[in-house]
Amino acid sequence: MGMDARKDIWHGELVLLGGHTIPWLNALKQAGWICHHCHDLRAAETLLLETGPCLGVVDLSHDDFSLQAIASLVNRHKQVRWLALVRDEQLSIESVCQFIVSFCIDYFTSPIPESQLLKTLGHQRGMLTLERKVWPKLGHFGQQGLQGNTPVMKKLLQHVKRLAAADMPVLIQGEIGTGKEMVAEAIFQASTRAKGRFVAVNCSSIGRSWAMKGSESECCFEAARDGVLFLNEVTSLPQDRQQELVQWLQDGRFTKENGSEVSAEPRLIAATHYPLDTLVSEGRLSKALYYRLNVLSLTVPPLRERGDDLLMLADALLLKYARQYNCGVKAFSDNARQAIATYNWPGNVQELVGRIKRAVLLTEQKNIEADHLELPRQADDKQSLKKIREESERSALLSVLENNRGQISAAARELGVSRATMYRLLNKHDLIPPPRDLGQNS
């Protein structure tokens, strides 16, 4: 389906919840609208996730659903522009009035004035057209390492799409290396924040202030003002930084060290691989921050739970890096695919990326063989947590060195460590550059 056709369908879709014989629904269909009539909220949930931004009409006049259930559904789908249909006497019910004011752009009472309703729907369709121009990626996102057709990945993609539409803090959990930052970027790209900045901060490197690296005057809240602030390993924050974060989440204000006040309101997405309940019970995570963060959450599944999607992701990464490095590698051999499918991948996506990238760079053949991936033998597969962490650390060092073209000082600044610490880490993982590089001004 071409992009223009997709836009036409997107702007002309309407979901009706409840109600019985609806004459104006036929008029809309004749005018080219795609109309869905749902009498079941679970079916509506699935439909709204698949449809994305559209118009929604809630028929409250027949009391088909409880108002609480409807409110819960509508609140989860902020990408939909909702209208309500009610009886005159329902306007004396406080809860009905509250629902309309909180969630709907307009309402109509029975008997429904068909011409006026159709005119309103047509106007809202025009508003959706304008929104599409302003936020062209709303409800849509690139693959971002989230390829998959298995139930576990479909569930993750549904969660990403749903959370993108809700402009609220999100907590992403998952093992080391599962791609939590990629998921955060996917949420960002599919949201109304996509025209702003995506600012990623490693909380383990935050010290006495929230200042951005290389800037004493700008804090990360300012840098992500209209976009998304991604706090990786948020549970590593010191207690005083946790208190400041809670305060900012409460009133949207932050006072910098120089006394100036910042009132920027970026969307917060936080991530951690630690179990939050344990950290709260140990006193390492404040209860106030826990309750503020753990409202909208999702868990990124490890590679070992992704089934056939693992090979789909591996193929996508192979194509990406073969193009990036202009290599002649075309595919994985059968034995390499078998090795990828049977390996446990304790380092998850980070480990997969590292091994495929290395194989692409070092292989002179058209096919990558199992030996090129240098995977541990199955007998050695029970790796310790320490080894897993070291593998992830090494992968991160390789990535940051590549991003900074081998410049040690620049890589150290990006990681938020001193040059001496950077050399210690490089020595630890046997990554010290050749002598000719050591003489460069890094």
Side-chain angles (χ1 to χ4, degrees):
M1 180 181 294
M3 189 63 183
D4 291 339
R6 178 72 187 97
K7 284 185 179 180
D8 290 342
I9 290 175
W10 184 83
H11 291 311
E13 286 197 85
L14 178 141
V15 175
L16 172 64
L17 301 181
H20 300 288
T21 304
I22 312 291
W24 51 264
L25 211 54
N26 292 327
L28 284 177
K29 291 178 181 178
Q30 291 174 6
W33 287 67
I34 295 179
C35 302
H36 310 276
H37 195 175
C38 293
H39 297 281
D40 180 89
L41 293 187
R42 282 179 296 182
E45 183 84 53
T46 302
L47 178 63
L48 290 168
L49 284 171
E50 293 174 351
T51 303
C54 64
L55 294 181
V57 177
V58 184
D59 192 340
L60 302 177
S61 64
H62 291 87
D63 302 312
D64 294 320
F65 312 108
S66 75
L67 194 60
Q68 184 177 357
I70 285 285
S72 180
L73 174 72
V74 168
N75 189 47
R76 287 195 297 271
H77 294 279
K78 299 182 185 298
Q79 80 279 18
V80 181
R81 301 175 74 86
W82 295 99
L83 290 88
L85 307 180
V86 297
R87 303 187 305 273
D88 274 323
E89 62 268 23
Q90 286 178 296
L91 295 178
S92 62
I93 303 173
E94 183 178 350
S95 58
V96 172
C97 295
Q98 185 65 48
F99 174 86
I100 295 172
V101 170
S102 299
F103 302 114
C104 301
I105 55 175
D106 207 343
Y107 74 94
F108 292 90
T109 58
S110 301
I112 299 167
E114 185 173 314
S115 61
Q116 188 179 349
L117 175 62
L118 295 180
K119 182 177 180 180
T120 299
L121 290 173
H123 176 71
Q124 293 305 323
R125 177 178 176 173
M127 289 297 293
L128 282 175
T129 303
L130 292 179
E131 286 183 3
R132 188 64 168 174
K133 290 179 180 178
V134 175
W135 300 312
K137 295 182 179 180
L138 181 61
H140 301 276
F141 45 86
Q143 292 298 320
Q144 291 293 321
L146 305 180
Q147 296 90 341
N149 295 313
T150 56
V152 67
M153 288 305 293
K154 284 184 176 180
K155 182 179 179 181
L156 176 64
L157 289 169
Q158 284 185 341
H159 282 174
V160 168
K161 191 171 184 179
R162 178 185 298 170
L163 297 182
D167 197 30
M168 298 171 64
V170 175
L171 176 65
I172 302 175
Q173 295 178 274
E175 296 178 8
I176 291 175
T178 48
K180 295 184 286 294
E181 184 168 346
M182 288 192 294
V183 171
E185 288 190 40
I187 293 173
F188 162 70
Q189 289 183 359
S191 74
T192 57
R193 299 279 187 159
K195 283 202 167 184
R197 288 179 62 188
F198 181 87
V199 177
V201 176
N202 188 339
C203 293
S204 61
S205 65
I206 290 179
R208 293 182 300 170
S209 74
W210 294 88
M212 293 292 294
K213 292 175 185 175
S215 173
E216 292 297 326
S217 59
E218 186 181 42
C219 71
C220 57
F221 300 103
E222 291 174 297
R225 180 178 300 275
D226 298 318
V228 163
L229 175 60
F230 175 66
L231 297 181
N232 195 18
E233 291 305 338
V234 66
T235 54
S236 300
L237 287 174
Q239 289 294 326
D240 50 353
R241 298 290 84 79
Q242 290 187 30
Q243 292 174 5
E244 291 171 350
L245 184 58
V246 169
Q247 186 65 38
W248 174 71
L249 287 170
Q250 285 176 345
D251 57 26
R253 296 182 181 276
F254 174 73
T255 303
K256 297 195 293 186
E257 285 191 314
N258 62 9
S260 62
E261 190 176 81
V262 177
S263 58
E265 295 187 12
R267 183 180 187 183
L268 176 67
I269 301 181
T272 183
H273 74 277
Y274 292 107
L276 296 186
D277 293 344
T278 302
L279 294 179
V280 172
S281 63
E282 292 176 352
R284 295 166 58 190
L285 179 68
S286 74
K287 288 185 178 180
L289 183 55
Y290 170 77
Y291 292 126
R292 288 280 174 180
L293 290 178
N294 199 24
V295 177
L296 297 179
S297 64
L298 59 79
T299 300
V300 185
L303 280 187
R304 62 181 177 275
E305 295 179 6
R306 300 189 190 182
D308 293 339
D309 291 340
L310 168 58
L311 288 172
M312 185 186 300
L313 176 58
D315 288 336
L317 291 172
L318 172 60
L319 178 62
K320 173 184 177 180
Y321 294 120
R323 288 175 174 173
Q324 182 175 327
Y325 300 124
N326 195 26
C327 298
V329 180
K330 301 295 184 184
F332 295 105
S333 68
D334 289 342
N335 65 353
R337 295 180 73 82
Q338 177 67 18
I340 291 172
T342 56
Y343 181 55
N344 198 42
W345 296 105
N348 291 296
V349 177
Q350 282 186 10
E351 184 180 5
L352 180 66
V353 167
R355 293 192 182 278
I356 290 178
K357 188 182 293 187
R358 183 163 56 247
V360 167
L361 286 170
L362 299 180
T363 301
E364 297 180 356
Q365 304 168 203
K366 288 189 175 181
N367 288 343
I368 290 179
E369 302 292 338
D371 290 345
H372 297 146
L373 296 169
E374 300 181 8
L375 296 174
R377 292 173 298 173
Q378 291 296 321
D380 301 328
D381 199 29
K382 294 183 179 179
Q383 301 185 55
S384 66
L385 180 60
K386 180 180 178 182
K387 187 172 182 180
I388 294 172
R389 286 176 175 167
E390 287 179 349
E391 187 71 32
S392 296
E393 188 175 76
R394 190 176 195 276
S395 176
L397 288 170
L398 283 169
S399 178
V400 78
L401 280 173
E402 179 185 323
N403 291 342
N404 292 279
R405 300 182 180 180
Q407 298 297 306
I408 306 299
S409 294
R413 284 194 297 270
E414 183 173 331
L415 287 176
V417 299
S418 67
R419 201 165 186 268
T421 300
M422 188 67 183
Y423 272 109
R424 179 180 60 78
L425 291 171
L426 294 174
N427 271 313
K428 174 184 174 183
H429 295 285
D430 297 322
L431 295 175
I432 288 294
R436 60 184 178 83
D437 290 337
L438 292 176
Q440 294 178 354
N441 180 18
S442 59

